[in-house]
Short mmCIF file of all heavy atoms in Angstrom, two decimals:
data_model
loop_
_atom_site.label_atom_id
_atom_site.label_comp_id
_atom_site.label_asym_id
_atom_site.label_seq_id
_atom_site.Cartn_x
_atom_site.Cartn_y
_atom_site.Cartn_z
N ILE A 1 -1.30 11.09 -12.19
CA ILE A 1 -2.35 10.41 -12.95
C ILE A 1 -3.70 11.00 -12.55
O ILE A 1 -4.19 10.77 -11.43
CB ILE A 1 -2.32 8.89 -12.70
CG1 ILE A 1 -0.97 8.32 -13.11
CG2 ILE A 1 -3.45 8.20 -13.47
CD1 ILE A 1 -0.81 6.84 -12.81
N ASP A 2 -4.30 11.76 -13.44
CA ASP A 2 -5.56 12.43 -13.14
C ASP A 2 -6.70 11.46 -12.86
O ASP A 2 -7.64 11.78 -12.12
CB ASP A 2 -5.96 13.35 -14.30
CG ASP A 2 -5.03 14.54 -14.45
OD1 ASP A 2 -4.35 14.87 -13.46
OD2 ASP A 2 -4.97 15.11 -15.55
N THR A 3 -6.64 10.28 -13.48
CA THR A 3 -7.74 9.32 -13.34
C THR A 3 -7.50 8.30 -12.22
O THR A 3 -8.19 7.28 -12.16
CB THR A 3 -7.95 8.57 -14.66
OG1 THR A 3 -6.71 7.97 -15.06
CG2 THR A 3 -8.44 9.51 -15.75
N ALA A 4 -6.53 8.57 -11.35
CA ALA A 4 -6.25 7.62 -10.27
C ALA A 4 -7.49 7.43 -9.39
O ALA A 4 -8.19 8.38 -9.05
CB ALA A 4 -5.08 8.12 -9.42
N VAL A 5 -7.74 6.18 -9.01
CA VAL A 5 -8.93 5.80 -8.26
C VAL A 5 -8.57 5.61 -6.79
O VAL A 5 -7.64 4.87 -6.45
CB VAL A 5 -9.53 4.49 -8.81
CG1 VAL A 5 -10.76 4.07 -8.02
CG2 VAL A 5 -9.88 4.65 -10.29
N LEU A 6 -9.30 6.27 -5.89
CA LEU A 6 -9.08 6.09 -4.46
C LEU A 6 -9.65 4.75 -4.01
O LEU A 6 -10.81 4.44 -4.27
CB LEU A 6 -9.75 7.22 -3.68
CG LEU A 6 -9.64 7.18 -2.16
CD1 LEU A 6 -8.18 7.21 -1.71
CD2 LEU A 6 -10.39 8.34 -1.54
N GLN A 7 -8.82 3.95 -3.34
CA GLN A 7 -9.25 2.63 -2.88
C GLN A 7 -9.70 2.73 -1.43
O GLN A 7 -8.92 3.12 -0.56
CB GLN A 7 -8.09 1.62 -3.02
CG GLN A 7 -7.54 1.48 -4.42
CD GLN A 7 -8.52 0.84 -5.39
OE1 GLN A 7 -9.63 0.47 -5.02
NE2 GLN A 7 -8.13 0.71 -6.64
N HIS A 8 -10.94 2.35 -1.16
CA HIS A 8 -11.49 2.49 0.18
C HIS A 8 -11.08 1.35 1.11
O HIS A 8 -11.12 1.50 2.33
CB HIS A 8 -13.01 2.55 0.12
CG HIS A 8 -13.53 3.56 -0.84
ND1 HIS A 8 -13.25 4.90 -0.72
CD2 HIS A 8 -14.29 3.43 -1.96
CE1 HIS A 8 -13.83 5.55 -1.71
NE2 HIS A 8 -14.46 4.69 -2.48
N SER A 9 -10.73 0.21 0.53
CA SER A 9 -10.42 -0.97 1.34
C SER A 9 -9.34 -1.80 0.66
O SER A 9 -9.44 -2.08 -0.53
CB SER A 9 -11.69 -1.81 1.53
OG SER A 9 -11.42 -2.98 2.27
N LEU A 10 -8.31 -2.15 1.40
CA LEU A 10 -7.24 -3.02 0.91
C LEU A 10 -7.00 -4.10 1.94
O LEU A 10 -7.28 -3.91 3.14
CB LEU A 10 -5.93 -2.24 0.71
CG LEU A 10 -5.84 -1.16 -0.36
CD1 LEU A 10 -6.36 0.16 0.18
CD2 LEU A 10 -4.39 -0.98 -0.81
N ASP A 11 -6.44 -5.23 1.50
CA ASP A 11 -6.02 -6.20 2.49
C ASP A 11 -4.55 -5.94 2.83
O ASP A 11 -3.88 -5.13 2.20
CB ASP A 11 -6.30 -7.64 2.04
CG ASP A 11 -5.49 -8.10 0.84
OD1 ASP A 11 -4.31 -7.69 0.72
OD2 ASP A 11 -6.02 -8.87 0.02
N TYR A 12 -4.08 -6.62 3.87
CA TYR A 12 -2.73 -6.36 4.36
C TYR A 12 -1.67 -6.54 3.28
O TYR A 12 -0.74 -5.75 3.16
CB TYR A 12 -2.41 -7.30 5.53
CG TYR A 12 -3.21 -7.06 6.78
CD1 TYR A 12 -4.00 -8.07 7.32
CD2 TYR A 12 -3.19 -5.84 7.45
CE1 TYR A 12 -4.74 -7.89 8.48
CE2 TYR A 12 -3.92 -5.63 8.60
CZ TYR A 12 -4.69 -6.65 9.12
OH TYR A 12 -5.42 -6.46 10.27
N GLU A 13 -1.80 -7.64 2.48
CA GLU A 13 -0.80 -7.94 1.48
C GLU A 13 -0.73 -6.86 0.41
O GLU A 13 0.35 -6.46 -0.03
CB GLU A 13 -1.07 -9.32 0.84
CG GLU A 13 -0.66 -10.50 1.69
CD GLU A 13 -1.55 -10.69 2.91
OE1 GLU A 13 -2.69 -10.18 2.90
OE2 GLU A 13 -1.11 -11.34 3.87
N GLU A 14 -1.89 -6.39 -0.02
CA GLU A 14 -1.91 -5.34 -1.04
C GLU A 14 -1.22 -4.08 -0.53
O GLU A 14 -0.39 -3.48 -1.24
CB GLU A 14 -3.36 -5.02 -1.42
CG GLU A 14 -4.05 -6.13 -2.20
CD GLU A 14 -5.52 -5.85 -2.42
OE1 GLU A 14 -6.17 -5.30 -1.49
OE2 GLU A 14 -6.03 -6.17 -3.50
N ALA A 15 -1.54 -3.66 0.68
CA ALA A 15 -0.93 -2.45 1.24
C ALA A 15 0.57 -2.61 1.40
O ALA A 15 1.35 -1.69 1.13
CB ALA A 15 -1.58 -2.11 2.58
N ALA A 16 1.00 -3.80 1.85
CA ALA A 16 2.43 -4.04 2.04
C ALA A 16 3.19 -3.99 0.72
O ALA A 16 4.27 -3.39 0.63
CB ALA A 16 2.64 -5.40 2.72
N GLU A 17 2.63 -4.62 -0.32
CA GLU A 17 3.30 -4.63 -1.61
C GLU A 17 3.35 -3.24 -2.23
O GLU A 17 4.38 -2.82 -2.76
CB GLU A 17 2.58 -5.60 -2.56
CG GLU A 17 2.70 -7.07 -2.18
CD GLU A 17 4.08 -7.66 -2.44
OE1 GLU A 17 4.92 -6.99 -3.09
OE2 GLU A 17 4.34 -8.78 -1.97
N LEU A 18 2.27 -2.49 -2.15
CA LEU A 18 2.26 -1.14 -2.70
C LEU A 18 3.27 -0.25 -1.97
O LEU A 18 3.95 0.57 -2.58
CB LEU A 18 0.86 -0.53 -2.61
CG LEU A 18 -0.16 -1.05 -3.64
CD1 LEU A 18 -1.56 -0.58 -3.27
CD2 LEU A 18 0.20 -0.58 -5.04
N SER A 19 3.38 -0.42 -0.65
CA SER A 19 4.33 0.38 0.13
C SER A 19 5.77 0.02 -0.24
O SER A 19 6.62 0.90 -0.38
CB SER A 19 4.10 0.14 1.63
OG SER A 19 2.81 0.55 2.01
N TYR A 20 6.02 -1.27 -0.40
CA TYR A 20 7.38 -1.71 -0.71
C TYR A 20 7.81 -1.24 -2.09
O TYR A 20 8.96 -0.87 -2.31
CB TYR A 20 7.46 -3.24 -0.63
CG TYR A 20 8.85 -3.79 -0.89
CD1 TYR A 20 9.84 -3.70 0.09
CD2 TYR A 20 9.18 -4.38 -2.10
CE1 TYR A 20 11.11 -4.18 -0.13
CE2 TYR A 20 10.45 -4.87 -2.33
CZ TYR A 20 11.41 -4.78 -1.35
OH TYR A 20 12.68 -5.26 -1.58
N TYR A 21 6.86 -1.25 -3.03
CA TYR A 21 7.20 -0.94 -4.41
C TYR A 21 6.89 0.49 -4.82
O TYR A 21 6.61 0.76 -5.97
CB TYR A 21 6.50 -1.92 -5.35
CG TYR A 21 7.13 -3.29 -5.34
CD1 TYR A 21 6.41 -4.40 -4.95
CD2 TYR A 21 8.46 -3.47 -5.72
CE1 TYR A 21 6.99 -5.67 -4.93
CE2 TYR A 21 9.05 -4.72 -5.70
CZ TYR A 21 8.31 -5.81 -5.32
OH TYR A 21 8.89 -7.06 -5.30
N GLY A 22 6.93 1.42 -3.88
CA GLY A 22 6.96 2.81 -4.29
C GLY A 22 5.82 3.70 -3.87
O GLY A 22 5.92 4.92 -4.03
N ALA A 23 4.70 3.17 -3.37
CA ALA A 23 3.63 4.05 -2.88
C ALA A 23 4.04 4.56 -1.50
O ALA A 23 3.85 3.89 -0.50
CB ALA A 23 2.31 3.28 -2.81
N ARG A 24 4.57 5.75 -1.44
CA ARG A 24 5.21 6.25 -0.21
C ARG A 24 4.17 6.75 0.79
O ARG A 24 4.17 7.90 1.20
CB ARG A 24 6.22 7.34 -0.54
CG ARG A 24 7.39 6.84 -1.38
CD ARG A 24 8.39 7.96 -1.64
NE ARG A 24 9.50 7.50 -2.43
CZ ARG A 24 10.60 6.93 -1.93
NH1 ARG A 24 10.70 6.75 -0.63
NH2 ARG A 24 11.57 6.55 -2.71
N ILE A 25 3.28 5.85 1.17
CA ILE A 25 2.23 6.21 2.12
C ILE A 25 2.53 5.62 3.48
O ILE A 25 2.27 6.23 4.51
CB ILE A 25 0.87 5.72 1.59
CG1 ILE A 25 0.53 6.48 0.31
CG2 ILE A 25 -0.23 5.92 2.64
CD1 ILE A 25 -0.75 6.03 -0.35
N LEU A 26 3.10 4.41 3.51
CA LEU A 26 3.41 3.73 4.76
C LEU A 26 4.88 3.34 4.81
O LEU A 26 5.48 3.03 3.77
CB LEU A 26 2.58 2.44 4.89
CG LEU A 26 1.06 2.55 4.95
CD1 LEU A 26 0.47 1.14 4.99
CD2 LEU A 26 0.62 3.34 6.15
N HIS A 27 5.44 3.33 6.00
CA HIS A 27 6.74 2.68 6.20
C HIS A 27 6.56 1.20 5.84
O HIS A 27 5.55 0.58 6.22
CB HIS A 27 7.14 2.82 7.67
CG HIS A 27 8.51 2.30 7.98
ND1 HIS A 27 8.80 0.96 8.05
CD2 HIS A 27 9.69 2.95 8.26
CE1 HIS A 27 10.08 0.79 8.35
NE2 HIS A 27 10.63 1.98 8.48
N PRO A 28 7.49 0.60 5.08
CA PRO A 28 7.28 -0.77 4.60
C PRO A 28 7.13 -1.82 5.69
O PRO A 28 6.60 -2.91 5.42
CB PRO A 28 8.54 -1.04 3.75
CG PRO A 28 9.52 0.01 4.15
CD PRO A 28 8.73 1.19 4.56
N GLU A 29 7.55 -1.53 6.93
CA GLU A 29 7.41 -2.51 8.01
C GLU A 29 6.15 -2.29 8.85
O GLU A 29 5.97 -2.94 9.87
CB GLU A 29 8.64 -2.45 8.93
CG GLU A 29 9.92 -2.97 8.29
CD GLU A 29 9.82 -4.44 7.92
OE1 GLU A 29 9.30 -5.23 8.73
OE2 GLU A 29 10.27 -4.79 6.81
N THR A 30 5.29 -1.39 8.41
CA THR A 30 4.08 -1.09 9.18
C THR A 30 3.11 -2.27 9.22
O THR A 30 2.50 -2.57 10.25
CB THR A 30 3.36 0.14 8.59
OG1 THR A 30 4.26 1.24 8.59
CG2 THR A 30 2.12 0.49 9.40
N ILE A 31 2.95 -2.96 8.11
CA ILE A 31 1.92 -3.98 7.99
C ILE A 31 2.19 -5.28 8.76
O ILE A 31 1.27 -5.80 9.43
CB ILE A 31 1.66 -4.30 6.50
CG1 ILE A 31 1.11 -3.06 5.78
CG2 ILE A 31 0.70 -5.47 6.34
CD1 ILE A 31 -0.22 -2.57 6.30
N PRO A 32 3.40 -5.86 8.73
CA PRO A 32 3.59 -7.19 9.34
C PRO A 32 3.12 -7.34 10.78
O PRO A 32 2.41 -8.31 11.09
CB PRO A 32 5.10 -7.44 9.19
CG PRO A 32 5.46 -6.67 7.95
CD PRO A 32 4.61 -5.43 7.99
N PRO A 33 3.45 -6.43 11.71
CA PRO A 33 2.97 -6.62 13.09
C PRO A 33 1.46 -6.55 13.21
O PRO A 33 0.86 -7.25 14.03
CB PRO A 33 3.66 -5.52 13.89
CG PRO A 33 4.10 -4.51 12.89
CD PRO A 33 4.35 -5.25 11.63
#
C-alpha cells in the first residue's frame, strides 16, 4: 500500500491486536508482560 501511514504512537492494545492479526512486526506475546 503506497499510501500507508506510519504511526508514531500506539497503545498496548492496538499493537497487540495488529500483531495478532497479521502485522508481522512483533511476536504476539510481546505486549502482555
Side-chain angles (χ1 to χ4, degrees):
I1 300 176
D2 292 339
T3 55
V5 179
L6 179 60
Q7 302 292 359
H8 308 299
S9 178
L10 294 84
D11 66 36
Y12 293 121
E13 282 70 21
E14 290 173 323
E17 292 287 350
L18 284 169
S19 298
Y20 182 76
Y21 286 118
R24 296 182 180 273
I25 295 176
L26 298 176
H27 185 286
E29 290 298 317
T30 302
I31 296 298

